[in-house]
Amino acid sequence: FDYLKKGAKTEFDKKRLRARISCAGNWLRNHAPEQFVFMVQDSAAGPAIGLDLGLKKAVLDFADSIKPSMQEDALAEILKSVSARHGFELKDLFMACYLVLLGKERGPKLFQILNETTIPKFKALAREAYSKKLAAKKGDVIKITRNDPGVGEYFYYRIVV
């Protein structure tokens, strides 16, 4: 891979690289376990919308505090300060950011994803998640499904109060 870091040098390299990318895409679409498949959300969905309002505010605060092309260490410092300011454990704020961005509780390195997927997309998703409310009424029962690499898929129910 070091050979190709600065780009494909010959037509053969380009063809070989396209074939590898195609194979990787096929594996992700058809064979990869769920824990390895991550897609940036088009819009804020169920898990992100169902977050605690305080966590949504913290994610929005983080999103509003970051700028495109920030270094990973600067993003980490901002996330830590937002976590402390809102009174949440760092792991809970990470989980909320993953839910907003990927629709999953875990994922690859958050700050790399933010740099690669652009921070403006994350900001839009955070605003959307904050502004939407779960369409549930008092007394409704909501099924919450989680996927844990060690346990597998599990679910539990919550009653809206």
Side-chain angles (χ1 to χ4, degrees), residues 14-158:
K14 290 177 186 176
K15 192 174 184 179
R16 185 172 59 168
L17 195 53
R18 280 190 209 103
R20 283 182 169 233
I21 291 169
S22 175
C23 289
N26 179 57
W27 179 78
L28 282 169
R29 282 186 301 280
N30 301 313
H31 306 290
E34 182 64 27
Q35 69 191 48
F36 296 118
V37 180
F38 302 100
M39 294 183 65
V40 174
Q41 303 297 298
D42 292 325
S43 64
I49 294 167
L51 283 170
D52 171 78
L53 184 60
L55 266 174
K56 285 187 196 182
K57 283 182 183 177
V59 171
L60 185 60
D61 187 10
F62 173 63
D64 287 340
S65 301
I66 59 178
K67 296 176 180 67
S69 72
M70 288 183 94
Q71 297 295 319
E72 288 182 34
D73 56 342
L75 293 169
E77 286 304 314
I78 292 171
L79 190 69
K80 286 178 191 173
S81 70
V82 167
S83 175
R85 190 167 49 246
H86 288 269
F88 289 105
E89 287 189 37
L90 195 55
K91 67 180 178 98
D92 294 331
L93 189 51
F94 263 108
M95 181 202 65
C97 289
Y98 282 122
L99 285 172
V100 167
L101 192 61
L102 303 174
K104 296 183 176 190
E105 292 182 355
R106 296 185 181 122
K109 293 183 178 181
L110 177 64
F111 306 130
Q112 285 182 352
I113 297 170
L114 288 175
N115 284 330
E116 293 170 11
T117 62
T118 70
I119 288 174
K121 176 71 174 175
F122 176 68
K123 289 179 179 244
L125 288 168
R127 279 189 207 95
E128 185 182 352
Y130 180 73
S131 66
K132 284 186 175 179
K133 292 182 181 174
L134 197 58
K137 301 178 294 299
K138 186 175 180 176
D140 285 353
V141 176
I142 299 173
K143 179 180 180 182
I144 300 170
T145 305
R146 300 281 191 239
N147 198 343
D148 184 273
V151 179
E153 186 176 272
Y154 64 95
F155 58 91
Y156 53 94
Y157 296 91
R158 294 270 170 101

